[in-house]
Short mmCIF file of all heavy atoms in Angstrom, two decimals:
data_model
loop_
_atom_site.label_atom_id
_atom_site.label_comp_id
_atom_site.label_asym_id
_atom_site.label_seq_id
_atom_site.Cartn_x
_atom_site.Cartn_y
_atom_site.Cartn_z
N MET M 1 55.36 124.27 73.29
CA MET M 1 55.05 123.12 72.49
C MET M 1 55.67 121.89 73.15
O MET M 1 56.82 121.90 73.53
CB MET M 1 55.60 123.33 71.08
CG MET M 1 55.13 122.29 70.12
SD MET M 1 55.67 122.58 68.42
CE MET M 1 54.96 124.14 68.06
N THR M 2 54.90 120.88 73.28
CA THR M 2 55.36 119.66 73.92
C THR M 2 55.95 118.71 72.89
O THR M 2 55.35 118.47 71.84
CB THR M 2 54.19 118.96 74.64
OG1 THR M 2 53.61 119.87 75.55
CG2 THR M 2 54.67 117.73 75.37
N THR M 3 57.12 118.17 73.19
CA THR M 3 57.69 117.14 72.33
C THR M 3 57.77 115.85 73.11
O THR M 3 57.85 115.85 74.33
CB THR M 3 59.09 117.53 71.82
OG1 THR M 3 59.92 117.78 72.94
CG2 THR M 3 59.03 118.77 70.95
N TYR M 4 57.75 114.74 72.41
CA TYR M 4 57.77 113.43 73.03
C TYR M 4 59.09 112.73 72.78
O TYR M 4 59.91 113.21 72.00
CB TYR M 4 56.60 112.59 72.50
CG TYR M 4 55.27 113.17 72.89
CD1 TYR M 4 54.53 113.95 72.01
CD2 TYR M 4 54.76 112.94 74.16
CE1 TYR M 4 53.32 114.50 72.39
CE2 TYR M 4 53.54 113.48 74.53
CZ TYR M 4 52.83 114.26 73.65
OH TYR M 4 51.64 114.80 74.02
N GLU M 5 59.27 111.59 73.42
CA GLU M 5 60.51 110.83 73.30
C GLU M 5 60.83 110.48 71.85
O GLU M 5 61.98 110.46 71.45
CB GLU M 5 60.44 109.55 74.13
CG GLU M 5 60.39 109.79 75.62
CD GLU M 5 60.18 108.50 76.39
OE1 GLU M 5 60.23 107.42 75.78
OE2 GLU M 5 59.99 108.58 77.61
N ASN M 6 59.79 110.21 71.08
CA ASN M 6 60.03 109.83 69.69
C ASN M 6 60.25 111.03 68.79
O ASN M 6 60.37 110.90 67.58
CB ASN M 6 58.87 108.98 69.16
CG ASN M 6 57.56 109.76 69.13
OD1 ASN M 6 57.51 110.91 69.50
ND2 ASN M 6 56.51 109.10 68.68
N GLY M 7 60.31 112.22 69.37
CA GLY M 7 60.55 113.43 68.60
C GLY M 7 59.29 114.03 68.02
O GLY M 7 59.34 115.07 67.37
N GLY M 8 58.15 113.40 68.24
CA GLY M 8 56.89 113.90 67.72
C GLY M 8 56.40 115.10 68.50
O GLY M 8 56.84 115.38 69.60
N VAL M 9 55.51 115.84 67.92
CA VAL M 9 54.93 117.02 68.54
C VAL M 9 53.47 116.71 68.84
O VAL M 9 52.78 116.09 68.04
CB VAL M 9 55.04 118.23 67.60
CG1 VAL M 9 54.36 119.44 68.19
CG2 VAL M 9 56.49 118.53 67.30
N LYS M 10 53.00 117.16 70.01
CA LYS M 10 51.61 116.96 70.40
C LYS M 10 50.72 117.80 69.48
O LYS M 10 50.92 119.00 69.35
CB LYS M 10 51.44 117.40 71.85
CG LYS M 10 50.10 117.13 72.44
CD LYS M 10 50.10 117.51 73.91
CE LYS M 10 48.79 117.21 74.55
NZ LYS M 10 48.79 117.57 75.96
N ARG M 11 49.75 117.15 68.82
CA ARG M 11 48.87 117.83 67.87
C ARG M 11 47.42 117.71 68.29
O ARG M 11 47.00 116.71 68.84
CB ARG M 11 49.03 117.21 66.48
CG ARG M 11 50.42 117.41 65.91
CD ARG M 11 50.49 117.02 64.50
NE ARG M 11 49.41 117.70 63.77
CZ ARG M 11 49.22 117.63 62.48
NH1 ARG M 11 50.02 116.88 61.75
NH2 ARG M 11 48.24 118.27 61.90
N LEU M 12 46.66 118.75 67.99
CA LEU M 12 45.23 118.75 68.25
C LEU M 12 44.53 118.13 67.05
O LEU M 12 44.54 118.69 65.95
CB LEU M 12 44.73 120.18 68.47
CG LEU M 12 43.25 120.36 68.73
CD1 LEU M 12 42.81 119.57 69.96
CD2 LEU M 12 42.91 121.82 68.91
N THR M 13 43.98 116.93 67.24
CA THR M 13 43.30 116.22 66.17
C THR M 13 41.94 115.73 66.67
O THR M 13 41.71 115.62 67.87
CB THR M 13 44.11 115.00 65.70
OG1 THR M 13 44.31 114.12 66.82
CG2 THR M 13 45.43 115.40 65.11
N ARG M 14 41.05 115.44 65.73
CA ARG M 14 39.76 114.85 66.09
C ARG M 14 39.98 113.40 66.49
O ARG M 14 40.75 112.68 65.87
CB ARG M 14 38.79 114.92 64.93
CG ARG M 14 38.32 116.34 64.66
CD ARG M 14 37.28 116.42 63.56
NE ARG M 14 37.94 116.22 62.27
CZ ARG M 14 37.52 115.38 61.34
NH1 ARG M 14 36.45 114.66 61.52
NH2 ARG M 14 38.18 115.26 60.20
N SER M 15 39.30 112.96 67.53
CA SER M 15 39.47 111.61 68.05
C SER M 15 38.68 110.60 67.22
O SER M 15 37.56 110.87 66.79
CB SER M 15 38.99 111.56 69.50
OG SER M 15 39.04 110.24 69.99
N ASN M 16 39.27 109.45 67.01
CA ASN M 16 38.56 108.35 66.36
C ASN M 16 37.86 107.45 67.37
O ASN M 16 36.90 106.77 67.03
CB ASN M 16 39.54 107.50 65.53
CG ASN M 16 39.99 108.21 64.29
OD1 ASN M 16 39.28 109.04 63.75
ND2 ASN M 16 41.19 107.90 63.85
N SER M 17 38.36 107.45 68.62
CA SER M 17 37.81 106.54 69.62
C SER M 17 36.76 107.19 70.51
O SER M 17 35.77 106.56 70.85
CB SER M 17 38.94 105.98 70.49
OG SER M 17 39.64 107.04 71.12
N ASP M 18 36.95 108.45 70.90
CA ASP M 18 36.01 109.14 71.78
C ASP M 18 35.20 110.15 70.99
O ASP M 18 35.41 111.35 71.08
CB ASP M 18 36.76 109.88 72.91
CG ASP M 18 37.30 108.96 73.95
OD1 ASP M 18 36.65 107.93 74.20
OD2 ASP M 18 38.37 109.25 74.50
N LYS M 19 34.27 109.65 70.19
CA LYS M 19 33.47 110.58 69.42
C LYS M 19 31.99 110.22 69.48
O LYS M 19 31.62 109.06 69.52
CB LYS M 19 33.95 110.67 67.98
CG LYS M 19 33.73 109.48 67.11
CD LYS M 19 34.28 109.79 65.73
CE LYS M 19 33.99 108.69 64.75
NZ LYS M 19 34.45 109.03 63.41
N MET M 20 31.17 111.28 69.50
CA MET M 20 29.73 111.12 69.43
C MET M 20 29.23 111.68 68.10
O MET M 20 28.35 111.13 67.48
CB MET M 20 29.03 111.81 70.60
CG MET M 20 29.31 111.15 71.93
SD MET M 20 28.43 111.92 73.27
CE MET M 20 26.92 110.98 73.23
N VAL M 21 29.80 112.81 67.69
CA VAL M 21 29.42 113.42 66.42
C VAL M 21 30.60 113.35 65.45
O VAL M 21 30.55 112.65 64.45
CB VAL M 21 28.95 114.88 66.61
CG1 VAL M 21 28.62 115.52 65.29
CG2 VAL M 21 27.75 114.92 67.54
N ALA M 22 31.66 114.11 65.76
CA ALA M 22 32.80 114.14 64.83
C ALA M 22 34.14 113.97 65.53
O ALA M 22 35.16 113.97 64.88
CB ALA M 22 32.79 115.46 64.06
N GLY M 23 34.15 113.85 66.84
CA GLY M 23 35.40 113.63 67.57
C GLY M 23 36.11 114.88 68.01
O GLY M 23 37.23 114.81 68.50
N VAL M 24 35.47 116.06 67.85
CA VAL M 24 36.11 117.31 68.24
C VAL M 24 36.31 117.37 69.75
O VAL M 24 37.41 117.67 70.23
CB VAL M 24 35.28 118.53 67.75
CG1 VAL M 24 35.84 119.83 68.30
CG2 VAL M 24 35.26 118.56 66.23
N CYS M 25 35.28 117.08 70.51
CA CYS M 25 35.40 117.11 71.97
C CYS M 25 36.37 116.05 72.47
O CYS M 25 37.15 116.30 73.38
CB CYS M 25 34.03 116.91 72.62
SG CYS M 25 32.89 118.27 72.36
N GLY M 26 36.35 114.88 71.87
CA GLY M 26 37.27 113.82 72.25
C GLY M 26 38.72 114.20 71.97
O GLY M 26 39.61 113.96 72.78
N GLY M 27 38.96 114.83 70.83
CA GLY M 27 40.30 115.28 70.50
C GLY M 27 40.78 116.37 71.44
O GLY M 27 41.94 116.39 71.86
N LEU M 28 39.88 117.29 71.78
CA LEU M 28 40.23 118.35 72.71
C LEU M 28 40.53 117.80 74.10
O LEU M 28 41.46 118.24 74.77
CB LEU M 28 39.11 119.39 72.77
CG LEU M 28 39.39 120.68 73.51
CD1 LEU M 28 40.57 121.41 72.90
CD2 LEU M 28 38.16 121.57 73.49
N ALA M 29 39.76 116.79 74.52
CA ALA M 29 40.00 116.16 75.82
C ALA M 29 41.34 115.42 75.84
O ALA M 29 42.07 115.49 76.83
CB ALA M 29 38.87 115.19 76.15
N GLU M 30 41.67 114.73 74.77
CA GLU M 30 42.97 114.05 74.69
C GLU M 30 44.12 115.04 74.70
O GLU M 30 45.15 114.81 75.32
CB GLU M 30 43.05 113.19 73.42
CG GLU M 30 42.16 111.98 73.45
CD GLU M 30 42.11 111.25 72.12
OE1 GLU M 30 42.86 111.62 71.19
OE2 GLU M 30 41.31 110.30 72.01
N TYR M 31 43.94 116.16 74.01
CA TYR M 31 45.00 117.17 73.91
C TYR M 31 45.25 117.85 75.26
O TYR M 31 46.39 118.08 75.64
CB TYR M 31 44.61 118.21 72.86
CG TYR M 31 45.67 119.24 72.60
CD1 TYR M 31 46.77 118.95 71.81
CD2 TYR M 31 45.57 120.52 73.13
CE1 TYR M 31 47.75 119.89 71.56
CE2 TYR M 31 46.54 121.47 72.90
CZ TYR M 31 47.63 121.15 72.10
OH TYR M 31 48.59 122.10 71.87
N THR M 32 44.16 118.19 75.97
CA THR M 32 44.30 118.92 77.24
C THR M 32 44.48 118.01 78.44
O THR M 32 44.94 118.47 79.48
CB THR M 32 43.07 119.80 77.49
OG1 THR M 32 41.91 118.98 77.55
CG2 THR M 32 42.92 120.87 76.41
N GLY M 33 44.06 116.74 78.31
CA GLY M 33 44.13 115.83 79.45
C GLY M 33 42.92 115.94 80.37
O GLY M 33 42.90 115.38 81.44
N TRP M 34 41.91 116.69 79.94
CA TRP M 34 40.69 116.85 80.73
C TRP M 34 39.74 115.70 80.45
O TRP M 34 39.86 114.99 79.46
CB TRP M 34 39.99 118.15 80.40
CG TRP M 34 40.77 119.38 80.77
CD1 TRP M 34 41.98 119.45 81.38
CD2 TRP M 34 40.38 120.72 80.51
NE1 TRP M 34 42.36 120.75 81.53
CE2 TRP M 34 41.40 121.55 81.01
CE3 TRP M 34 39.28 121.30 79.92
CZ2 TRP M 34 41.33 122.93 80.93
CZ3 TRP M 34 39.21 122.68 79.84
CH2 TRP M 34 40.23 123.48 80.35
N ASP M 35 38.76 115.55 81.31
CA ASP M 35 37.74 114.52 81.15
C ASP M 35 36.82 114.89 79.99
O ASP M 35 36.42 116.06 79.85
CB ASP M 35 36.94 114.37 82.45
CG ASP M 35 35.94 113.24 82.40
OD1 ASP M 35 36.29 112.17 81.85
OD2 ASP M 35 34.81 113.43 82.89
N ILE M 36 36.48 113.93 79.18
CA ILE M 36 35.63 114.16 78.01
C ILE M 36 34.26 114.71 78.40
O ILE M 36 33.68 115.54 77.70
CB ILE M 36 35.50 112.89 77.15
CG1 ILE M 36 34.70 113.16 75.88
CG2 ILE M 36 34.82 111.79 77.88
CD1 ILE M 36 35.52 113.46 74.72
N ALA M 37 33.73 114.25 79.53
CA ALA M 37 32.42 114.72 79.98
C ALA M 37 32.44 116.22 80.28
O ALA M 37 31.46 116.93 79.98
CB ALA M 37 31.97 113.94 81.20
N LEU M 38 33.52 116.72 80.84
CA LEU M 38 33.64 118.15 81.13
C LEU M 38 33.70 118.96 79.84
O LEU M 38 33.08 120.03 79.74
CB LEU M 38 34.88 118.43 81.97
CG LEU M 38 34.85 117.91 83.40
CD1 LEU M 38 36.17 118.18 84.09
CD2 LEU M 38 33.72 118.54 84.18
N ILE M 39 34.40 118.46 78.86
CA ILE M 39 34.49 119.16 77.56
C ILE M 39 33.11 119.20 76.91
O ILE M 39 32.68 120.25 76.43
CB ILE M 39 35.50 118.46 76.63
CG1 ILE M 39 36.90 118.43 77.25
CG2 ILE M 39 35.50 119.10 75.25
CD1 ILE M 39 37.61 119.74 77.30
N ARG M 40 32.42 118.09 76.90
CA ARG M 40 31.09 118.04 76.28
C ARG M 40 30.10 118.94 77.02
O ARG M 40 29.30 119.64 76.39
CB ARG M 40 30.58 116.60 76.25
CG ARG M 40 31.30 115.76 75.24
CD ARG M 40 30.79 114.34 75.21
NE ARG M 40 31.51 113.57 74.19
CZ ARG M 40 31.80 112.30 74.30
NH1 ARG M 40 31.43 111.62 75.36
NH2 ARG M 40 32.46 111.69 73.34
N LEU M 41 30.18 118.94 78.34
CA LEU M 41 29.31 119.81 79.14
C LEU M 41 29.61 121.27 78.83
O LEU M 41 28.68 122.08 78.68
CB LEU M 41 29.50 119.52 80.63
CG LEU M 41 28.65 120.35 81.58
CD1 LEU M 41 27.17 120.08 81.36
CD2 LEU M 41 29.04 120.06 83.02
N ALA M 42 30.87 121.63 78.71
CA ALA M 42 31.25 123.00 78.39
C ALA M 42 30.73 123.42 77.02
O ALA M 42 30.27 124.55 76.84
CB ALA M 42 32.77 123.15 78.45
N VAL M 43 30.75 122.50 76.06
CA VAL M 43 30.24 122.80 74.73
C VAL M 43 28.72 123.02 74.77
O VAL M 43 28.21 123.96 74.16
CB VAL M 43 30.61 121.68 73.72
CG1 VAL M 43 29.85 121.84 72.41
CG2 VAL M 43 32.10 121.67 73.48
N VAL M 44 28.02 122.21 75.52
CA VAL M 44 26.57 122.37 75.64
C VAL M 44 26.23 123.69 76.32
O VAL M 44 25.37 124.44 75.86
CB VAL M 44 25.95 121.17 76.40
CG1 VAL M 44 24.50 121.45 76.76
CG2 VAL M 44 26.06 119.90 75.57
N VAL M 45 26.91 123.99 77.41
CA VAL M 45 26.67 125.24 78.13
C VAL M 45 27.00 126.44 77.24
O VAL M 45 26.24 127.42 77.19
CB VAL M 45 27.48 125.28 79.45
CG1 VAL M 45 27.46 126.65 80.08
CG2 VAL M 45 26.94 124.24 80.42
N ALA M 46 28.12 126.37 76.53
CA ALA M 46 28.49 127.46 75.62
C ALA M 46 27.47 127.64 74.51
O ALA M 46 27.15 128.77 74.12
CB ALA M 46 29.87 127.20 75.03
N THR M 47 26.92 126.54 74.02
CA THR M 47 25.91 126.62 72.97
C THR M 47 24.64 127.29 73.48
O THR M 47 24.06 128.14 72.81
CB THR M 47 25.59 125.22 72.42
OG1 THR M 47 26.79 124.65 71.90
CG2 THR M 47 24.54 125.27 71.34
N VAL M 48 24.22 126.92 74.68
CA VAL M 48 23.00 127.49 75.26
C VAL M 48 23.18 128.98 75.53
O VAL M 48 22.33 129.80 75.16
CB VAL M 48 22.61 126.74 76.55
CG1 VAL M 48 21.52 127.47 77.30
CG2 VAL M 48 22.18 125.31 76.22
N PHE M 49 24.29 129.35 76.15
CA PHE M 49 24.49 130.74 76.54
C PHE M 49 24.93 131.65 75.39
O PHE M 49 24.85 132.86 75.51
CB PHE M 49 25.46 130.85 77.71
CG PHE M 49 24.86 130.42 79.01
CD1 PHE M 49 25.34 129.30 79.68
CD2 PHE M 49 23.79 131.10 79.57
CE1 PHE M 49 24.78 128.88 80.87
CE2 PHE M 49 23.22 130.69 80.76
CZ PHE M 49 23.71 129.59 81.41
N SER M 50 25.38 131.08 74.30
CA SER M 50 25.79 131.91 73.16
C SER M 50 24.69 132.02 72.12
O SER M 50 24.91 132.60 71.06
CB SER M 50 27.05 131.34 72.52
OG SER M 50 26.77 130.11 71.87
N GLY M 51 23.56 131.43 72.40
CA GLY M 51 22.47 131.48 71.45
C GLY M 51 22.72 130.64 70.21
O GLY M 51 22.20 130.92 69.14
N GLY M 52 23.56 129.63 70.35
CA GLY M 52 23.84 128.73 69.25
C GLY M 52 25.12 129.05 68.49
O GLY M 52 25.49 128.33 67.57
N ALA M 53 25.81 130.12 68.87
CA ALA M 53 27.04 130.51 68.15
C ALA M 53 28.14 129.46 68.34
O ALA M 53 29.01 129.31 67.48
CB ALA M 53 27.53 131.86 68.63
N ALA M 54 28.11 128.73 69.43
CA ALA M 54 29.13 127.69 69.67
C ALA M 54 29.01 126.56 68.65
O ALA M 54 29.99 125.88 68.38
CB ALA M 54 29.03 127.17 71.10
N ILE M 55 27.83 126.39 68.09
CA ILE M 55 27.66 125.37 67.05
C ILE M 55 28.48 125.74 65.82
O ILE M 55 29.09 124.87 65.19
CB ILE M 55 26.16 125.19 66.69
CG1 ILE M 55 25.42 124.59 67.88
CG2 ILE M 55 26.00 124.33 65.45
CD1 ILE M 55 23.93 124.51 67.70
N ILE M 56 28.54 127.03 65.51
CA ILE M 56 29.35 127.49 64.38
C ILE M 56 30.83 127.19 64.64
O ILE M 56 31.55 126.72 63.75
CB ILE M 56 29.16 129.01 64.15
CG1 ILE M 56 27.68 129.34 63.93
CG2 ILE M 56 30.04 129.50 63.01
CD1 ILE M 56 27.09 128.78 62.67
N ALA M 57 31.27 127.42 65.89
CA ALA M 57 32.66 127.13 66.25
C ALA M 57 32.93 125.62 66.17
O ALA M 57 34.00 125.20 65.73
CB ALA M 57 32.96 127.64 67.66
N TYR M 58 31.96 124.82 66.59
CA TYR M 58 32.11 123.36 66.52
C TYR M 58 32.21 122.90 65.07
O TYR M 58 33.06 122.08 64.73
CB TYR M 58 30.93 122.68 67.21
CG TYR M 58 31.09 121.19 67.37
CD1 TYR M 58 31.75 120.66 68.47
CD2 TYR M 58 30.61 120.30 66.41
CE1 TYR M 58 31.92 119.29 68.62
CE2 TYR M 58 30.78 118.94 66.54
CZ TYR M 58 31.42 118.44 67.66
OH TYR M 58 31.61 117.07 67.79
N LEU M 59 31.36 123.44 64.20
CA LEU M 59 31.42 123.09 62.78
C LEU M 59 32.74 123.53 62.15
O LEU M 59 33.30 122.81 61.32
CB LEU M 59 30.23 123.71 62.05
CG LEU M 59 28.85 123.15 62.41
CD1 LEU M 59 27.76 123.96 61.72
CD2 LEU M 59 28.75 121.69 62.07
N ALA M 60 33.23 124.69 62.56
CA ALA M 60 34.54 125.15 62.06
C ALA M 60 35.65 124.21 62.52
O ALA M 60 36.57 123.90 61.77
CB ALA M 60 34.81 126.57 62.53
N ALA M 61 35.55 123.73 63.77
CA ALA M 61 36.56 122.80 64.29
C ALA M 61 36.52 121.48 63.52
O ALA M 61 37.58 120.88 63.30
CB ALA M 61 36.33 122.56 65.78
N ILE M 62 35.35 121.05 63.10
CA ILE M 62 35.26 119.82 62.31
C ILE M 62 36.04 119.97 61.01
O ILE M 62 36.75 119.07 60.58
CB ILE M 62 33.78 119.46 62.00
CG1 ILE M 62 33.06 119.05 63.29
CG2 ILE M 62 33.69 118.35 60.97
CD1 ILE M 62 31.57 118.88 63.12
N VAL M 63 35.92 121.14 60.39
CA VAL M 63 36.59 121.38 59.12
C VAL M 63 38.09 121.58 59.31
O VAL M 63 38.90 121.09 58.54
CB VAL M 63 35.96 122.60 58.42
CG1 VAL M 63 36.74 123.00 57.19
CG2 VAL M 63 34.51 122.33 58.08
N ILE M 64 38.47 122.33 60.37
CA ILE M 64 39.88 122.71 60.56
C ILE M 64 40.73 121.60 61.16
O ILE M 64 41.86 121.39 60.73
CB ILE M 64 39.95 123.97 61.44
CG1 ILE M 64 39.32 125.15 60.71
CG2 ILE M 64 41.38 124.28 61.85
CD1 ILE M 64 39.11 126.36 61.57
N MET M 65 40.19 120.88 62.16
CA MET M 65 40.99 119.87 62.86
C MET M 65 41.14 118.62 62.00
O MET M 65 40.15 118.07 61.52
CB MET M 65 40.31 119.47 64.19
CG MET M 65 40.37 120.54 65.25
SD MET M 65 39.40 120.13 66.71
CE MET M 65 40.21 118.68 67.32
N PRO M 66 42.37 118.15 61.83
CA PRO M 66 42.56 116.91 61.06
C PRO M 66 42.12 115.69 61.87
O PRO M 66 42.13 115.72 63.10
CB PRO M 66 44.06 116.88 60.80
CG PRO M 66 44.65 117.67 61.91
CD PRO M 66 43.64 118.72 62.27
N ALA M 67 41.75 114.65 61.18
CA ALA M 67 41.39 113.40 61.86
C ALA M 67 42.66 112.73 62.38
O ALA M 67 43.75 112.95 61.88
CB ALA M 67 40.67 112.47 60.91
N GLN M 68 42.51 111.92 63.39
CA GLN M 68 43.65 111.23 64.02
C GLN M 68 44.20 110.29 63.07
O GLN M 68 44.85 109.78 62.52
CB GLN M 68 43.15 110.47 65.24
CG GLN M 68 44.08 110.52 66.39
CD GLN M 68 43.42 109.89 67.61
OE1 GLN M 68 42.53 109.05 67.50
NE2 GLN M 68 43.85 110.31 68.76
#
């Protein structure tokens, strides 16, 4: 677990600034430090190859992940 100078803990939250639908990919990109385009591409590829099951995971992430 990463802690910061202010004593805060790094949390996985939905992004308010980098969002197209609900900010899940943007929040994941901020948390991991990866490029947002790579995260979005991975979600699209996972959706295509899983027969749409990744959409269920995305919807679950919308419900589970708190907003920033």
Side-chain angles (χ1 to χ4, degrees):
M1 190 176 300
T2 304
T3 57
Y4 295 99
E5 293 175 8
N6 64 0
V9 176
K10 186 175 182 180
R11 295 190 52 176
L12 179 58
T13 59
R14 289 183 286 131
S15 175
N16 288 332
S17 58
D18 286 326
K19 69 180 185 177
M20 292 183 89
V21 177
V24 173
C25 292
L28 190 59
E30 290 172 6
Y31 184 78
T32 60
W34 295 358
D35 185 41
I36 184 96
L38 291 177
I39 300 288
R40 288 180 179 146
L41 180 63
V43 169
V44 170
V45 169
T47 301
V48 169
F49 286 115
S50 69
I55 293 173
I56 304 294
Y58 188 87
L59 292 174
I62 292 171
V63 173
I64 294 170
M65 288 173 63
Q68 219 173 26

